[in-house]
């Protein structure tokens, strides 16, 4: 049991990094994933016999690279482009704090976001390889059936293999064509870490840390791109509330009841500073707008100090550039808290006709919250029951059950 927990921790902390290096080494996503699984299996045999290595991640990297090279040697007919001399010993494990942007995972992100791939496939593949998300978790991010997501992954890997898309960062003059995809994938990884689909807790700090780390590298790579700064600011301002989001019983704590003394003020200050620098360039974009919304929440001393009118106005601005049903749902809720709960309810009821949100638990949960605030507790209870039928995360489930119980008293 202890060994399994240690290996699970190595998978979380080092698995994505090792996989990125294997994909660069083999040039094939499926081969790299198979090799890594074989290395995990070898660890389960070798570690009880020989003892757990001083650096489990380094051990995993070395063994997996040797497996990849052995496979290449035994299958000479397979055209796998290997990096350098295949007879050379596997390189040492890279430091987790690279000094520049020469980072396997950032490079892999640009491979996944190649313009030859459809937008949905780019994001799905990056979430799988960089974020380690399951097909179910990726489907939840896209609000689509798992079968559709599985097809995206298969097609994306095949396209990269057949088109021989190089494992490298594009020339600087071609970065712009991938910026939007790169930033959207980083945001999806962050969101899964901040509100996980299937994890035992609401949070997956490993994904949050990785998304922020890669966002910092992206800002270094794209110093003239204000949206890269906007996304980093958004992540920092949102992550600053992490410690206050879960109760001692493992229940989600909504924003308006969080203990604000637990918020990370240093992270808030950094996020506000980065946002101000981005906005000063005069090219606002969706991530900067979302960061501005997060900043208004983060700098409000108390829930009643929240400037909902400005937040609602910002959501209307965001809706013009990003007219998605989820943004519209957030805009409806903000409108209700700023202006009219009845108006928000009518808006949400119109969104219920959008089939793309039929599996999105926050739609009935938002409706339930508006109904509760209006004092229509029986209708709120029915909406909470609909949300409970869709939610998958246990922390959110506990919160919704508590809200439902309060409506039934």
């Amino acid at each position: 049991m202890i060994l399994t927990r240690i290996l699970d921790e190595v998978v979380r902390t080092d698995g994505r990094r090792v996989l990125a290096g294997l994909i660069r080494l083999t040039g094939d996503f499926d081969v790299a994933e198979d090799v890594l699984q074989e290395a995990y299996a070898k660890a389960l045999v070798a570690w009880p016999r020989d003892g757990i290595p001083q650096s489990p991640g380094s051990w995993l990297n070395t063994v997996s690279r040797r497996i990849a090279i052995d496979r290449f040697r035994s299958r000479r007919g397979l055209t796998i482009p290997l990096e350098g001399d295949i007879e050379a010993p596997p390189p040492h494990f890279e430091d987790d704090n690279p000094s520049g942007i020469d980072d396997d995972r950032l490079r892999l992100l640009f491979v996944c976001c190649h313009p030859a791939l459809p937008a949905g496939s780019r994001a799905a593949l990056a979430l799988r390889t960089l974020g380690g998300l399951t097909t179910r978790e990726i489907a939840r991010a896209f609000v689509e059936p798992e079968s559709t997501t599985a097809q995206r992954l298969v097609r994306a890997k095949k396209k990269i293999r057949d088109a021989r898309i190089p494992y490298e960062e594009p020339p600087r003059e071609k970065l712009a064509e991938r910026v939007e995809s790169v930033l959207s994938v980083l945001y999806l990884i962050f969101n899964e870490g901040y509100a996980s689909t299937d994890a035992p807790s609401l949070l997956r700090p490993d994904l949050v840390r990785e998304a922020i780390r890669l966002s910092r590298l992206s800002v270094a790579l794209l110093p003239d791109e204000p949206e890269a700064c906007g996304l980093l600011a958004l992540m920092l301002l949102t992550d600053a509330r992490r410690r206050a989001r879960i109760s001692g019983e493992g229940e989600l704590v909504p924003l308006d009841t969080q203990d604000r003394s637990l918020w990370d003020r240093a992270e808030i200050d950094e996020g506000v500073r980065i946002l101000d620098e981005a906005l000063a360039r005069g090219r606002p974009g969706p991530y900067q707008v979302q960061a501005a919304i997060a900043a208004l929440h983060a700098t409000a001393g108390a829930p009643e100090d929240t400037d909902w009118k400005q937040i609602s106005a910002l959501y209307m601005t965001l809706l013009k550039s990003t007219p998605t049903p989820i943004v519209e749902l957030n805009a409806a809720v903000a409108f209700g808290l700023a202006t009219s709960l009845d108006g928000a309810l009518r808006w949400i009821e119109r969104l219920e006709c959008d089939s793309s949100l039929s599996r999105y638990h926050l739609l009935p949960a938002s409706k339930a919250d508006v109904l509760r605030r209006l004092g229509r507790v029986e209708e709120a209870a029915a909406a909470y029951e609909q949300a409970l039928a869709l939610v998958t995360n246990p922390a959110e489930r506990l919160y919704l059950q508590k809200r439902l119980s309060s409506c039934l008293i």
Side-chain angles (χ1 to χ4, degrees):
M1 185 65 69
I2 294 177
L3 175 63
T4 302
R5 287 202 301 269
I6 292 174
L7 185 57
D8 287 344
E9 180 63 22
V10 173
V11 171
R12 283 192 298 271
T13 58
D14 297 310
R16 298 300 101 192
R17 176 172 54 181
V18 174
L19 180 62
L22 288 172
I23 293 171
R24 172 165 57 84
L25 185 69
T26 66
D28 189 295
F29 283 75
D30 290 328
V31 170
E33 289 174 350
D34 287 346
V35 165
L36 188 55
Q37 289 302 316
E38 186 174 341
Y40 291 149
K42 286 183 178 294
L44 290 173
V45 174
W47 292 2
R49 182 190 64 218
D50 304 329
I52 297 171
Q54 183 175 5
S55 176
S58 180
W59 185 97
L60 185 67
N61 181 71
T62 299
V63 169
S64 62
R65 286 173 179 264
R66 284 175 178 160
I67 293 170
I69 291 172
D70 287 344
R71 285 194 180 193
F72 176 75
R73 287 170 175 162
S74 64
R75 299 174 63 187
R76 289 289 185 175
L78 184 63
T79 56
I80 301 178
L82 286 175
E83 213 182 41
D85 183 1
I86 66 169
E87 299 298 328
H92 291 294
F93 200 62
E94 296 173 2
D95 182 35
D96 197 32
N97 296 296
S99 59
I101 59 173
D102 185 17
D103 180 271
D104 266 344
R105 285 163 289 181
L106 184 63
R107 191 180 296 113
L108 178 58
L109 178 57
F110 276 93
V111 173
C112 293
C113 293
H114 195 283
L117 299 174
S121 296
R122 299 174 205 165
L125 187 58
L127 289 171
R128 182 59 164 269
T129 55
L130 282 162
L133 273 63
T134 65
T135 303
R136 174 188 174 90
E137 290 168 336
I138 299 169
R140 184 250 198 179
F142 287 132
V143 195
E144 68 182 13
E146 287 184 52
S147 58
T148 302
T149 301
Q151 291 171 2
R152 288 181 190 273
L153 292 166
V154 170
R155 287 195 295 265
K157 292 176 183 178
K158 185 175 186 299
K159 178 70 175 181
I160 288 176
R161 182 173 60 249
D162 294 349
R164 297 184 178 277
I165 292 175
Y167 185 91
E168 62 187 15
E169 295 160 15
R172 184 162 293 277
E173 63 271 15
K174 292 187 177 182
L175 284 175
E177 64 187 9
R178 304 193 200 184
V179 168
E180 183 177 350
S181 290
V182 166
L183 297 183
S184 67
V185 166
L186 289 176
Y187 191 33
L188 286 169
I189 293 174
F190 177 84
N191 280 338
E192 180 59 31
Y194 193 70
S196 179
T197 304
D198 292 320
S201 175
L202 179 69
L203 305 171
R204 286 188 59 183
D206 57 320
L207 290 184
V208 171
R209 287 193 298 268
E210 180 66 354
I212 291 175
R213 189 188 74 84
L214 288 172
S215 288
R216 290 188 187 279
L217 290 178
S218 297
V219 169
L221 183 63
L222 306 163
D224 299 323
E225 177 49 66
E227 277 290 80
C229 294
L231 177 58
L232 177 57
L234 173 59
M235 290 182 182
L236 293 171
L237 290 163
T238 306
D239 182 55
R241 304 194 299 263
R242 173 167 29 99
R243 287 191 300 163
R245 293 187 69 228
I246 300 292
S247 71
E249 294 73 36
E251 174 190 333
L252 167 70
V253 180
L255 181 61
D256 59 352
T257 60
Q258 288 177 10
D259 180 354
R260 299 186 178 215
S261 69
L262 296 176
W263 290 2
D264 188 329
R265 292 296 160 185
E267 210 167 14
I268 290 172
D269 291 344
E270 183 185 9
V272 170
R273 176 182 58 76
I274 293 172
L275 173 61
D276 288 343
E277 292 172 356
L279 292 173
R281 299 178 187 180
R283 288 185 286 141
Y287 293 117
Q288 294 169 76
V289 174
Q290 291 177 79
I293 293 170
L296 287 170
H297 284 301
T299 55
E304 58 270 21
D305 298 331
T306 305
D307 189 346
W308 281 107
K309 288 190 180 297
Q310 188 172 353
I311 289 173
S312 179
L314 286 169
Y315 268 119
M316 295 306 295
T317 298
L318 182 62
L319 193 55
K320 292 178 183 177
S321 62
T322 314
T324 68
I326 292 178
V327 171
E328 192 171 356
L329 175 61
N330 289 327
V333 172
F335 174 79
L337 293 171
T339 307
S340 167
L341 288 171
D342 287 313
L345 182 60
R346 289 191 294 271
W347 195 346
I348 291 172
E349 286 174 340
R350 289 196 299 272
L351 286 171
E352 288 181 312
C353 299
D354 191 323
S355 60
S356 68
L357 294 179
S358 62
R359 292 178 296 276
Y360 190 57
H361 73 281
L362 292 180
L363 176 60
S366 299
K367 181 180 181 181
D369 187 63
V370 172
L371 287 166
R372 179 183 59 82
R373 291 173 185 270
L374 287 168
R376 295 162 61 174
V377 292
E378 290 184 2
E379 295 169 86
Y384 280 127
E385 288 176 345
Q386 291 175 4
L388 280 165
L390 297 171
V391 71
T392 57
N393 184 275
E396 291 180 287
R397 176 173 293 280
L398 283 173
Y399 166 75
L400 292 171
Q401 287 172 337
K402 184 175 180 179
R403 285 296 195 195
L404 174 60
S405 297
S406 70
C407 292
L408 298 177
I409 294 175

